[in-house]
Amino acid sequence: MERIAIIDITSKCNLRCTHCYNQERYWEKSENYKELNSKNVAKIVHRLKEMNFTRLHLLGGEPLLSSNLFDFILNGQKEDLDVSIVTNGTLLNSDMMKKLCNSGVWSLSVSLDGTTALVNDRIRGEGVFNKVVDNIKKSVEIKNSLQPDMRLGISFTLTKQNLDTSKNLFDFVNDLNLDFVNISYLSNEGKARETYYDNTITESDKFQFIDEILFSYKSRNNNIYFNIDARKLLGEYIYKKHGISLDAEYFVGCAGGDAQFYILADGTLLPCSPAGTSMGCQLSSDYLKDLEPPNLLLNNINEIINSSYLVKFYNYTHNAQTYQNIVPCKNCRYECKPCPLLYKNDNIVVKECTYAMEEIQKIDKKFMNIPLKKNENIRMSTVNDKVILLSFLTQDEFVLENTALSIWNQINNVNTGNDITRLIMKEYKLKDEDFNMVQKDTMEFLYQLRGNRFISDVMI
């Protein structure tokens, strides 16, 4: 299992972004957090290795301002931990990029919040966009020259301010010759709290944006990796509408205090970032009252692992009763569980999932009522009673037997999913009351065939 340590290696930052989640933690209190010396960095990283962490994810503040940046990187390498960094990119000059390439950093993500200077600089500050894009272009050249085992991409927070100009995001990333893009949404903490309801996008806007960028993504043959902040129902929507599967690790519910921890600039170990901000205030006052989080410098491993703070937090976030009133979790077949700090109290409706459920029903209905056809360049071979499909272009295989083979044989450019369901029921002499079950199983199998590109990717 991957276990990630998200570390604020400095409280200092040279920008004042309008949605900064760390504003309440560091902007007015930066002087309270002294940067760790080399000895303490080595102690923290070694302790994390002893606790079976697999990755260091370095944040700030602005991590490139930190005097101990390379102490963290080199100690991470020494302890065989992957190291990733998120930077605002303003200090990513040629010398810094060369050092990072030669240090063994696994992933470097540059934060941008617009594909134009006009939009980005409203959020990040005047002149930031052109400077950062210029630094990215030079960094790509250096990376291509030195050939390090490093991914270079951007992190993008979607808001009302950048929604309209973000639909060319993949063109923007592709033109910069980057490896990936991470897409997330505004978090109601820190500086963003002041204008959260004015700047956060609606679910309709979110789904329309996803549709448009994924249509763009599918229309080009590229190797850009993308990660969209998504729960399982949104992942199902994307799979059924676009035939794209998202990695299951991005559907994990609350990983805080188990697969993921957040470490402040003074070594304080939190289960997650919101636990230490206003989002976690009610939990702290009601459930974790008078309990202090452990510190990697002040506490030994047993004290950290068995601290009442972390144990009670874990028990709270992994208790089914915590989620029993959240809509639509109580009626959902997935068990991903949303952030309880965000949804437990007044905001008990997970709007993304509610909207996704409604849209999935529409997609399913339409998908089952359109004719389906087998794609070209498909090879078939028979082994015993099994038929193996092979895509000549992708070399993907799919094994058909029993009912699956019967369904495949009914795909003929004319039959719809519902037609195939009825034919299967007739072939196996099933009763009318079995129709819904057979329809569901047939539909899921047809989605698999389409997801593996053995039948047409129908735009619905």
Side-chain angles (χ1 to χ4, degrees), residues 337-389:
K337 302 295 188 298
C339 172
L341 304 188
L342 179 59
Y343 293 104
K344 173 60 178 169
N345 301 308
D346 297 328
N347 185 29
I348 64 169
V349 179
V350 186
K351 295 179 181 179
E352 173 190 291
C353 296
T354 302
Y355 193 93
M357 289 177 74
E358 295 171 354
E359 292 301 304
I360 288 169
Q361 290 176 359
K362 297 175 186 176
I363 293 169
D364 288 346
K365 183 177 181 180
K366 191 166 187 178
F367 179 69
M368 292 299 283
N369 282 285
I370 55 176
L372 301 171
K373 67 177 181 179
K374 299 169 183 174
N375 287 339
E376 298 178 352
N377 302 312
I378 303 299
R379 305 290 189 264
M380 297 179 62
S381 61
T382 302
V383 179
N384 298 326
D385 294 330
K386 300 177 182 179
V387 172
I388 300 175
L389 303 181

Side-chain angles (χ1 to χ4, degrees), residues 100 111 126 143 157 239 255 327 349 387 435:
L100 291 173
S111 296
E126 186 176 354
K143 176 175 175 285
T157 301
Y239 176 70
V327 182
V349 179
V387 172
F435 180 82

Side-chain angles (χ1 to χ4, degrees), residues 288-300:
L288 301 174
K289 188 176 182 180
D290 299 326
L291 296 177
E292 292 293 329
N295 188 290
L296 288 167
L297 294 174
L298 304 178
N299 300 105
N300 61 42

Side-chain angles (χ1 to χ4, degrees), residues 133-286:
V133 169
D134 185 55
N135 284 344
I136 289 175
K137 290 177 179 178
K138 292 176 182 176
S139 294
V140 169
E141 292 178 2
I142 292 169
K143 176 175 175 285
N144 291 339
S145 173
L146 296 178
Q147 294 290 311
D149 187 17
M150 175 201 284
R151 305 186 316 157
L152 176 62
I154 65 169
S155 293
F156 196 92
T157 301
L158 196 63
T159 67
K160 284 183 179 178
Q161 292 173 288
N162 60 28
L163 180 65
D164 289 340
T165 59
S166 300
K167 292 166 185 176
N168 68 338
L169 186 57
F170 280 116
D171 292 329
F172 178 75
V173 173
N174 188 69
D175 290 345
L176 288 174
N177 198 26
L178 294 171
D179 301 315
F180 68 87
V181 56
N182 294 323
I183 303 170
S184 59
Y185 311 108
L186 203 59
S187 179
N188 192 12
E189 53 183 327
K191 184 69 174 175
R193 296 179 68 205
E194 298 175 9
T195 57
Y196 177 76
Y197 294 101
D198 292 328
N199 286 327
T200 192
I201 62 174
T202 66
E203 298 310 311
S204 177
D205 287 339
K206 179 194 295 187
F207 279 67
Q208 184 178 353
F209 167 80
I210 289 171
D211 287 341
E212 293 191 16
I213 64 165
L214 289 183
F215 283 135
S216 170
Y217 179 82
K218 291 191 299 182
S219 68
R220 58 170 69 248
N221 293 318
N222 57 43
N223 295 316
I224 298 173
Y225 174 84
F226 70 94
N227 170 33
I228 300 176
D229 185 5
R231 295 179 183 84
K232 285 190 175 182
L233 278 167
L234 177 52
E236 180 179 341
Y237 168 86
I238 291 172
Y239 176 70
K240 288 186 170 181
K241 185 156 189 176
H242 300 280
I244 296 174
S245 296
L246 298 186
D247 197 319
E249 69 177 339
Y250 299 112
F251 297 133
V252 175
C254 180
D258 183 16
Q260 177 178 294
F261 288 80
Y262 195 96
I263 303 168
L264 301 185
D266 63 354
T268 299
L269 184 68
L270 296 172
C272 61
S273 173
T277 68
S278 53
M279 283 179 65
C281 281
Q282 185 163 348
L283 176 65
S284 297
S285 61
D286 293 349

Side-chain angles (χ1 to χ4, degrees), residues 102-113:
N102 292 324
S103 68
V105 170
W106 167 68
S107 178
L108 180 63
S109 181
V110 181
S111 296
L112 279 173
D113 292 309

Side-chain angles (χ1 to χ4, degrees), residues 10-173:
T10 182
S11 61
K12 296 182 293 187
C13 189
N14 58 332
L15 297 184
R16 289 293 183 264
C17 302
T18 60
H19 59 21
C20 178
Y21 69 92
N22 257 340
Q23 173 257 358
E24 62 184 278
R25 183 177 284 143
Y26 293 140
W27 281 21
E28 304 301 328
K29 306 174 185 177
S30 180
E31 67 279 359
N32 296 341
Y33 294 89
K34 295 181 180 179
E35 292 187 0
L36 302 173
N37 59 38
S38 298
K39 181 179 178 180
N40 283 336
V41 169
K43 182 178 179 180
I44 283 180
V45 176
H46 181 66
R47 184 146 290 170
L48 292 172
K49 179 64 175 181
E50 290 181 313
M51 294 170 64
N52 292 322
F53 280 83
T54 59
R55 175 151 68 102
L56 304 180
H57 188 58
L58 308 183
L59 305 175
E62 167 50 44
L64 301 194
L65 275 173
S66 173
S67 61
N68 57 34
L69 169 63
F70 288 95
D71 287 327
F72 273 101
I73 296 172
L74 294 176
N75 278 282
Q77 291 289 307
K78 179 181 177 182
E79 299 287 358
D80 196 28
L81 301 174
D82 290 330
V83 178
S84 55
I85 302 173
V86 178
T87 172
N88 63 35
T90 57
L91 305 175
L92 190 61
N93 55 39
S94 296
D95 288 340
M96 175 61 73
M97 185 60 185
K98 289 175 183 177
K99 291 179 182 178
L100 291 173
C101 286
N102 292 324
S103 68
V105 170
W106 167 68
S107 178
L108 180 63
S109 181
V110 181
S111 296
L112 279 173
D113 292 309
T115 58
T116 66
L118 179 65
V119 174
N120 180 84
D121 291 358
R122 287 178 190 161
I123 301 169
R124 299 194 149 260
E126 186 176 354
V128 170
F129 180 83
N130 289 332
K131 183 173 186 178
V132 171
V133 169
D134 185 55
N135 284 344
I136 289 175
K137 290 177 179 178
K138 292 176 182 176
S139 294
V140 169
E141 292 178 2
I142 292 169
K143 176 175 175 285
N144 291 339
S145 173
L146 296 178
Q147 294 290 311
D149 187 17
M150 175 201 284
R151 305 186 316 157
L152 176 62
I154 65 169
S155 293
F156 196 92
T157 301
L158 196 63
T159 67
K160 284 183 179 178
Q161 292 173 288
N162 60 28
L163 180 65
D164 289 340
T165 59
S166 300
K167 292 166 185 176
N168 68 338
L169 186 57
F170 280 116
D171 292 329
F172 178 75
V173 173

